[in-house]
Amino acid sequence: SWTTTTNAHILRNLANGDYTIEETAAPNGYLINKKITKFTISDSNRNIKITIENAPKNVVVNITKVDQETNEALAGAVLLVKDSSGKEVARFTTTASSYVLTDLANGTYTVEEVSAPAGYIKSDDVVQFTIDDDHLSHQIIFKNAKEVYVPDTASLPSIIMMILGIVITGAGISYIYKHAKQY
């Protein structure tokens, strides 16, 4: 077992037989190479050169804000991305395009809305995602419902009753006044 450096690692005096090399951890910024490399040492095959390559991590997280009914992209929302310790990783205002995060370290993150676009209700959703060697990309979609203006109709019946009361009272007074002169 050894940790690689920029120089080759040399194993000497291996007995004849079958061997395997397996990577157990990758360098920072690279994916672990899950391939198990097999080789055989024999009297006629003692000089073996093995190269193990690692692919770079390409972390991509797309975050999109859309209208709940139309699924059209919404501009103007402020979203916040935090790591598992609660540290702010990104804060941005949405546009008609997805916001793209790259180069996130392995870990768990959350996305939440700080403020909604004009004319929309703020979402209370908190979306969690994890970055690891098996989960390098995520597509996160936040939805907002439009604000609906509802007129204050609770006082409308009382206004109608008051107007109706004034009209009836006025008609009653007018009737009494007209008929009081006749007697």
Side-chain angles (χ1 to χ4, degrees), residues 25 50 53 57 61 71 80 97 100 114 120 133 135 143 172:
I50 298 172
E53 295 180 353
K57 279 186 179 181
V61 178
N71 285 324
L80 175 64
S97 301
V100 180
V114 175
Y120 286 84
D133 291 346
H135 304 95
K143 295 185 177 189

Side-chain angles (χ1 to χ4, degrees), residues 18-110:
D18 295 325
Y19 294 90
T20 60
I21 295 179
E22 179 179 356
E23 184 174 57
T24 57
N28 285 338
Y30 290 86
L31 296 173
I32 192 166
N33 186 328
K34 295 181 180 181
K35 179 182 172 191
I36 297 174
T37 304
K38 298 178 181 182
F39 64 97
T40 301
I41 298 290
S42 66
D43 289 337
S44 62
N45 191 22
R46 299 215 51 82
N47 267 336
I48 298 174
K49 180 179 179 182
I50 298 172
T51 302
I52 298 175
E53 295 180 353
N54 294 92
K57 279 186 179 181
N58 291 319
V59 174
V60 177
V61 178
N62 290 298
I63 303 171
T64 309
K65 176 59 95 172
V66 298
D67 180 287
Q68 179 175 305
E69 293 178 18
T70 65
N71 285 324
E72 295 292 322
L74 290 176
V78 176
L79 299 182
L80 175 64
V81 180
K82 297 180 190 176
D83 66 14
S84 58
S85 70
K87 180 183 173 194
E88 184 175 311
V89 173
R91 179 183 295 255
F92 59 95
T93 302
T94 61
T95 65
S97 301
S98 294
Y99 183 81
V100 180
L101 283 169
T102 59
D103 299 327
L104 291 175
N106 284 358
T108 300
Y109 298 86
T110 58

